[in-house]
Amino acid sequence: MEQLQGLFPFKLDGFQEKAVQQLLEGRSVVVCAPTGAGKTAIAEAAAAAALARGQRVIYTTPLKALSNQKLAEKAARFGSSRVGLQTGDTSLNTDADIVVMTTEILRNIMYRTAEIAGSGSLTNTRDERLGDVGLVVLDEVHYLGDPWRGSVWEEVIINCPRHIQMLAMSATVKNPEDLGGWISQVHGECVTIKTRFRPVPLRWVFCHKAPRQGAVLEDLTLQQQQQQQQQGGAAAIGRLNPRLKMDEWVEEELKFQAMKEARAAREAAQRQQNFYGGGYDSDPYSSSSSNGSRRGSRGSGGGYRSSGGSSSSSIEEELLAQMTVETGDGGGGGKFGGGGRRGNERQDLVRKVMGKRTPTQEQVVRQLIQARMLPAIWFIMSRRDCDLAAIATNVTLVDQQEEAELEQELMQLFSDNPDAVRDKLVPAFLRGIASHHAGCLPAWKSLVERCFQKGLLKLVYATGTLAAGINMPARTTVISNLARRSDDGIKLLPHNELLQMAGRAGRRGFDTLGHCVLVQGRFEGAEAAHGIITGGPEPLQSQFTTSYSLVLNLLSVYSLDEARDFLSKSFGTYLQEQGNTKLRQQAQQLMDTAAALLKLAEGQGGSSMSAQQKAAVVTFGSALTSALALKLNLPLDVFDPVMPSPETAAQIEEQKTQLQEAKQSLATLRRQDKFAAQSVAQQQQALLQGVPQEALAAAVAAAAGDQPDAAAAGGSRQRSSSSDTGSSGSSSSDDEVAAALKSLQGRDPLVVAKRLAKRAKRMMAEADQGQSVTTWNSFMDVLSILVEMGAMEESSLRLLPLGLVARSINCNNELWMAAALSSPGVMALSPPQLAALVGALQCTDLLKRPMSIWSSYQVSDAVITALEELEPTMEAIYNAQTAAGQGKWNEHLAVDLRLAGLVEAWAGGASWQEIMADTSIDDGDMARLMARTADMLKQMTFLHEQLPYLTEPARAALRGMNRKPISDLVA
């Protein structure tokens, strides 16, 4: 540990030391820590330890851009000769001691190394081929919850040989222990280490436009609380600053409106006085009149102040008083608080207030400069808005020396890759301002990242993709959009996503405090921001799904039974089993309670209760409560309003709501779960002497449902009394419990016992139904499609030629792509035309804005003919997928020819300037389409056995496409 500590110029934090120590002791580790907490240091220490043991390291990332960055970092740490890179586009020194790769590449390697060679054992083959690997780092492992790619992480973890240690590093999620427990089950001993610690504390700031002040920066929470929380370095947050509440702003707006109405009334009164009181006898432009009155002077608000005639102060006071009475304290039941027209009026007023409180971009930038909060990353959800914001920020943030260095960096890029230079953004770049998003070419993004890390750029406008692991720490992050459009409409940002962006603030070794500035928007304000943060992290959920690739890969190396066993090891199955285990425990409790109640029924005429019978009373209430809590997914202590100790007001309100829901649910169960009241009432004195009042109160509330409030109140007061006097009871609680018990007289414990047993049986049956059954059914559905389309042999499950092609490629619908490439019509295409066909098949997966796309380049007739010949195959796959319940995959069957002509022109030798001059899409979108097409062409060059007639045309097409800027595309 001392030697590893020497790798770093700073002392490792506590959670870092614990993680490294666990790795040194041979365990796998899950590290869950906020963005910027220092997880990379753990990975570097673990890699150094593995190298010292003579083992190799595989470092995986979710993004090609992040892989490229990690390559540079590891090369700087361990030396270029010891580090390699392997992505879908690039292979560099792949036999190095440390190889950085995307997670998909590692998944494919594990399947390929699992293939049986001769008569060797499958497991031994994989272990032998990865035998020199001692550590796999899964960076950004929370991508396991990504709906589109999460399955890849699960497949890697399940397939990973047990001799390899795993280091899984995640941003903050709610349930890291579940991930660690699952890895322990399917791979080997794994320890979970989580922390909220940040080496540079994070301060939450809110920016809005205050009346008569312009844009202002205020602490989002009460400053004293925030300072206390920052002492621990945790990214915590206290109560919302009351000055930022919408009710306060609405009240201010109403006062302002009242003042305007008062001025208008004053002016009307003045005009009336002038008309009827002889005001026109004097010169209205003179400073005095014959009766000595003075013309009102113009006020700053546009009204007039008059000393003559009737006073208007009473009008203003009356309006203000009326406004105060009508709005009330919170605005909920006053003038704008009700439903109908008044409710709409309040909504209109809130929208108006939000609009008036929204600062301009220039105002925010000025505040950042004044508060010395630069350098900053400003997250904006739209690429176009990022560019426009950079151009519109007309302020110079650099000195002459920094401007000269920026110009030198720009000239170097122009010399190496002139197509990557974005001319319209150059003036802003030289002022220290840049734009960074997926619409930029990779070389431009690399330039921005490099200059920002050097401190030359002071302000970068970026989309949220920049927060996904790219190493660009800043002093401040700015977030001006708290909502985004999703498939289900416009929704607020998830907590995890907001924290990942905010976490980029605070540079270790440079800043003592990081700042996240949340900007008031037209539709979201401080309360929405505070709600997202206090809502807490979302749990990591399994996204394990079946696909053509999964079925083909599994059945290439496993039997059908072994494939089913593989599916049963998914993270989703583990989570389900954990819930089922708890469900079984609750069911067993109910069964035990039912048995005790039967004995209670047999001896209900006795003069005293046995210890077992007393336990039955308590167990019944607690078991029923636990079962209900499980059903509602609530914490057990939510049934007692004294027990919870939430950290925030929002959580208090949430638990109040949950408590009401729990009480309502208990009331609906009362008919089925009445307790044997007669026997209990007869033995009430013995019961009260031997059973804790808190447990009894819970039992009464759960069993009776009639008086849960009284029972809970009794338990609450008992707890208070015990803490003060040491007494085991109180007369008030005794009386209330006795009254509740008395209300249960006449109930038959035998009936209750039978109902409990019936419920326990249902719970047991529910626990026996696992996710693996659903996953297996889906697996068999996909298998049926592959058999129907001739990709697999039904009897032997042997892969046929079409299946071998589909297994050898990676895309969104491997079966469709394999069928297209296997079509006879493709054989007659020239290399540029082959590229155009592949581009037409890939285009729909990349471009999500079809109405905004146009291109002047037309695709060749030969490509159109080849695609028309594929229509029967497309229809057959469509029907098969629909019949098998996989209709969601049909969207990947579309063909988009609008940009195929551009792909054909580029593969045929056209320049980048020529093709971009005749299309409406961004450089980045076009580059991704070209790169994805080139990637598929590269995959085709390896299909020597499956498609020998396509390897040479694919290689020629790839040569035509692999020119700058596409050849630089490792992002």
Side-chain angles (χ1 to χ4, degrees):
M1 176 63 79
E2 291 76 12
Q3 292 177 337
L4 293 176
Q5 174 66 72
L7 293 174
F8 307 101
F10 53 86
K11 187 180 185 304
L12 292 177
D13 296 322
F15 83 96
Q16 294 170 324
E17 289 184 348
K18 291 179 182 177
V20 173
Q21 187 60 47
Q22 293 293 337
L23 288 163
L24 290 176
E25 294 175 5
R27 301 179 184 88
S28 294
V29 175
V30 170
V31 178
C32 180
T35 301
K39 297 186 288 291
T40 300
I42 300 173
E44 293 185 346
L51 295 180
R53 295 192 297 266
Q55 297 174 314
R56 297 176 64 226
V57 177
I58 294 177
Y59 194 110
T60 73
T61 71
L63 305 171
K64 294 179 182 178
L66 188 54
S67 294
N68 194 40
Q69 184 179 89
K70 292 300 178 183
L71 172 69
E73 291 178 2
K74 304 315 169 196
R77 170 70 69 182
F78 300 102
S80 300
S81 63
R82 305 191 73 180
V83 180
L85 176 69
Q86 190 169 0
T87 68
D89 303 320
T90 304
S91 294
L92 174 67
N93 197 17
T94 56
D95 293 326
D97 295 334
I98 302 176
V99 181
V100 181
M101 61 182 65
T102 56
T103 315
E104 282 83 356
I105 293 295
L106 179 58
R107 186 269 308 270
N108 296 339
I109 290 175
M110 287 182 172
Y111 279 125
R112 299 301 180 264
T113 56
E115 294 183 57
I116 300 176
S119 59
S121 166
L122 180 149
T123 303
N124 290 340
T125 302
R126 178 189 288 134
D127 289 356
E128 289 172 3
R129 296 186 181 182
L130 295 175
D132 59 347
V133 176
L135 175 69
V136 167
V137 180
L138 299 175
D139 201 359
E140 309 288 339
V141 74
H142 51 268
Y143 268 78
L144 184 146
D146 183 85
W148 303 107
R149 302 172 60 203
S151 291
V152 175
W153 275 258
E154 297 195 41
E155 292 176 61
V156 165
I157 292 171
I158 297 172
N159 275 321
C160 187
R162 285 181 173 263
H163 75 270
I164 298 177
Q165 283 182 284
M166 280 190 181
L167 172 58
M169 302 189 299
S170 169
T172 302
V173 294
K174 186 176 183 179
N175 58 334
E177 296 87 356
D178 286 332
L179 179 60
W182 173 60
I183 293 177
S184 293
Q185 184 180 93
V186 301
H187 178 69
E189 185 179 4
C190 182
V191 177
T192 301
I193 295 176
K194 62 179 182 178
T195 182
R196 296 177 62 198
F197 177 81
R198 282 179 49 94
V200 180
L202 183 64
R203 173 194 176 207
W204 295 96
V205 183
F206 193 75
C207 182
H208 66 98
K209 188 163 63 175
R212 297 173 297 279
Q213 296 183 53
V216 295
L217 299 174
E218 295 194 61
D219 286 315
L220 183 66
T221 63
L222 296 179
Q223 189 170 6
Q224 183 178 359
Q225 289 186 345
Q226 197 171 62
Q227 288 175 345
Q228 291 172 351
Q229 290 154 358
Q230 288 167 357
Q231 291 174 2
I237 189 168
R239 291 191 295 114
L240 177 64
N241 186 339
R243 294 192 301 272
L244 301 177
K245 291 185 175 180
M246 182 53 61
D247 285 344
E248 296 290 329
W249 290 2
V250 168
E251 184 175 349
E252 289 184 24
E253 180 65 21
L254 289 172
K255 288 181 179 179
F256 176 72
Q257 290 182 0
M259 294 292 292
K260 288 180 63 178
E261 292 175 6
R263 292 193 197 101
R266 231 177 12 249
E267 293 177 4
Q270 181 65 53
R271 287 193 298 271
Q272 187 178 39
Q273 179 186 13
N274 290 339
F275 184 80
Y276 291 106
Y280 288 104
D281 291 339
S282 59
D283 184 359
Y285 296 99
S286 67
S287 59
S288 61
S289 61
S290 59
N291 61 3
S293 65
R294 183 181 178 87
R295 185 177 185 268
S297 59
R298 189 74 167 175
S300 61
Y304 288 86
R305 292 189 296 270
S306 173
S307 60
S310 61
S311 172
S312 62
S313 61
S314 59
I315 300 176
E316 179 177 341
E317 291 172 359
E318 182 179 350
L319 287 171
L320 287 173
Q322 180 182 3
M323 178 273 296
T324 303
V325 170
E326 289 179 335
T327 58
D329 292 337
K335 180 177 180 180
F336 299 104
R341 183 178 61 83
R342 291 186 173 182
N344 292 334
E345 288 177 0
R346 176 174 172 79
Q347 292 177 3
D348 293 340
L349 183 58
V350 167
R351 283 194 290 267
K352 178 180 180 181
V353 170
M354 283 189 170
K356 296 177 72 172
R357 291 275 184 164
T358 300
T360 65
Q361 171 194 323
E362 181 182 357
Q363 289 173 328
V364 177
V365 172
R366 295 289 182 186
Q367 284 296 308
L368 295 176
I369 297 172
Q370 184 176 345
R372 297 182 177 273
M373 287 187 175
L374 299 177
I377 300 174
W378 188 326
F379 288 104
I380 302 176
M381 299 307 168
S382 163
R383 303 179 195 174
R384 179 176 177 271
D385 289 344
C386 286
D387 290 345
L388 293 177
I391 295 171
T393 306
N394 191 21
V395 58
T396 299
L397 303 178
V398 296
D399 57 30
Q400 291 183 349
Q401 176 62 33
E402 291 170 329
E403 183 179 356
E405 292 184 46
L406 286 171
E407 186 173 3
Q408 184 177 358
E409 290 277 358
L410 193 63
M411 294 305 296
Q412 182 64 44
L413 176 64
F414 185 82
S415 174
D416 295 340
N417 194 343
D419 293 329
V421 177
R422 308 193 71 195
D423 294 337
K424 64 180 181 180
L425 295 177
V426 167
F429 182 84
L430 296 177
R431 296 196 303 269
I433 303 161
S435 175
H436 184 292
H437 53 74
C440 305
L441 288 174
W444 176 266
K445 290 192 290 186
S446 297
L447 172 70
V448 172
E449 293 164 14
R450 184 171 62 254
C451 291
F452 192 83
Q453 291 166 355
K454 289 182 176 180
L456 299 176
L457 290 175
K458 311 300 181 182
L459 179 60
V460 172
Y461 295 96
T463 54
T465 55
L466 181 63
I470 304 299
N471 184 22
M472 276 184 60
R475 177 173 296 171
T476 302
T477 53
V478 183
I479 303 173
S480 55
N481 301 95
L482 294 176
R484 65 170 41 181
R485 188 177 302 277
S486 68
D487 293 338
D488 300 324
I490 296 178
K491 290 187 175 182
L492 291 176
L493 289 175
H495 172 95
N496 294 358
E497 191 171 338
L498 176 64
L499 264 290
Q500 192 164 28
M501 290 188 285
R504 292 293 159 198
R507 300 164 299 173
R508 189 166 191 165
F510 293 92
D511 303 318
T512 58
L513 190 65
H515 309 274
C516 179
V517 179
L518 303 164
V519 182
Q520 170 68 47
R522 294 176 56 200
F523 305 105
E524 314 93 24
E527 287 161 317
H530 189 263
I532 295 174
I533 300 168
T534 57
E538 293 85 21
L540 189 62
Q541 298 287 351
S542 172
Q543 300 295 338
F544 190 82
T545 56
T546 54
S547 64
Y548 292 125
S549 176
L550 177 67
V551 175
L552 292 166
N553 277 315
L554 287 182
L555 294 181
S556 295
V557 296
Y558 294 120
S559 67
L560 196 60
D561 289 339
E562 289 171 332
R564 184 166 191 170
D565 180 66
F566 181 96
L567 297 178
S568 70
K569 296 178 181 179
S570 73
F571 184 46
T573 301
Y574 173 83
L575 293 176
Q576 177 107 28
E577 288 176 349
Q578 294 300 301
N580 289 342
T581 299
K582 296 178 183 178
L583 198 62
R584 291 187 185 97
Q585 292 173 351
Q586 301 298 332
Q588 187 60 51
Q589 281 186 317
L590 292 185
M591 292 292 288
D592 294 342
T593 302
L597 285 173
L598 289 175
K599 293 183 178 181
L600 177 65
E602 295 173 357
Q604 64 181 3
S607 59
S608 63
M609 293 181 68
S610 67
Q612 187 178 28
Q613 290 169 342
K614 294 176 184 177
V617 175
V618 180
T619 305
F620 170 70
S622 62
L624 178 60
T625 301
S626 299
L628 180 62
L630 183 66
K631 181 179 179 182
L632 296 176
N633 194 26
L634 302 175
L636 297 182
D637 60 4
V638 80
F639 293 91
D640 187 337
V642 176
M643 288 294 291
S645 56
E647 296 179 359
T648 66
Q651 291 177 342
I652 292 175
E653 293 301 321
E654 181 181 359
Q655 292 208 340
K656 283 182 179 179
T657 301
Q658 292 176 342
L659 178 59
Q660 293 301 322
E661 293 175 353
K663 289 178 179 179
Q664 294 172 6
S665 298
L666 282 171
T668 63
L669 295 172
R670 57 188 294 188
R671 292 189 300 274
Q672 298 179 356
D673 299 311
K674 292 289 187 178
F675 189 60
Q678 183 177 5
S679 173
V680 175
Q682 290 173 352
Q683 307 302 329
Q684 141 183 349
Q685 293 303 320
L687 184 65
L688 294 178
Q689 292 175 4
V691 180
Q693 289 293 298
E694 295 158 298
L696 178 61
V700 171
D706 295 307
Q707 300 187 34
D709 294 324
S716 302
R717 280 191 288 273
Q718 168 59 27
R719 190 177 300 106
S720 175
S721 175
S722 299
S723 62
D724 294 336
T725 65
S727 170
S728 61
S730 66
S731 59
S732 60
S733 61
D734 287 356
D735 293 341
E736 289 176 352
V737 171
L741 291 172
K742 187 176 181 180
S743 69
L744 302 178
Q745 292 181 1
R747 307 303 178 187
D748 185 356
L750 184 62
V751 174
V752 176
K754 290 181 178 179
R755 289 176 176 172
L756 284 179
K758 186 176 181 180
R759 169 174 300 159
K761 185 176 180 180
R762 288 199 305 267
M763 292 170 67
M764 285 290 190
E766 181 181 346
D768 291 336
Q769 295 179 355
Q771 179 177 346
S772 58
V773 175
T774 303
T775 305
W776 177 247
N777 291 338
S778 179
F779 183 92
M780 295 302 293
D781 288 338
V782 176
L783 177 58
S784 70
I785 300 174
L786 292 169
V787 171
E788 180 179 347
M789 295 305 303
M792 297 190 72
E793 190 174 72
E794 184 173 10
S795 57
S796 65
L797 297 183
R798 180 174 61 89
L799 269 64
L800 299 175
L802 179 61
L804 291 172
V805 174
R807 178 183 176 248
S808 302
I809 59 178
N810 292 296
C811 58
N812 283 330
N813 192 313
E814 293 87 357
L815 179 61
W816 166 233
M817 181 64 72
L821 297 181
S822 303
S823 172
V826 177
M827 298 176 59
L829 298 179
S830 67
Q833 290 171 344
L834 179 61
L837 181 138
V838 173
L841 298 177
Q842 298 273 42
C843 191
T844 51
D845 295 333
L846 289 171
L847 305 176
K848 305 300 182 182
R849 298 167 292 172
M851 298 303 296
S852 62
I853 298 173
W854 60 266
S855 169
S856 300
Y857 285 84
Q858 300 298 315
V859 69
S860 299
D861 292 339
V863 177
I864 297 176
T865 300
L867 289 171
E868 288 176 346
E869 293 176 358
L870 288 172
E871 290 183 1
T873 302
M874 179 193 297
E875 184 177 359
I877 297 177
Y878 182 96
N879 293 333
Q881 290 181 164
T882 303
Q886 303 298 331
K888 61 181 182 293
W889 294 348
N890 290 337
E891 65 181 35
H892 300 302
L893 297 178
V895 174
D896 195 332
L897 285 170
R898 289 173 297 175
L899 298 181
L902 285 170
V903 177
E904 183 177 353
W906 174 255
S911 70
W912 188 258
Q913 291 90 343
E914 287 174 339
I915 65 170
M916 292 309 300
D918 290 313
T919 183
S920 61
I921 70 171
D922 290 336
D923 287 354
D925 285 328
M926 177 57 71
R928 271 194 309 283
L929 174 59
M930 297 295 188
R932 185 73 67 88
T933 302
D935 178 61
M936 180 54 62
L937 291 169
K938 184 177 181 180
Q939 294 182 52
M940 292 163 59
T941 63
F942 294 102
L943 301 178
H944 306 288
E945 299 180 1
Q946 298 89 346
L947 299 174
Y949 54 87
L950 282 185
T951 54
E952 282 304 320
R955 191 173 287 110
L958 184 60
R959 285 194 298 268
M961 298 197 66
N962 195 24
R963 298 178 283 129
K964 287 188 176 183
I966 305 304
S967 59
D968 294 333
L969 197 58
V970 294

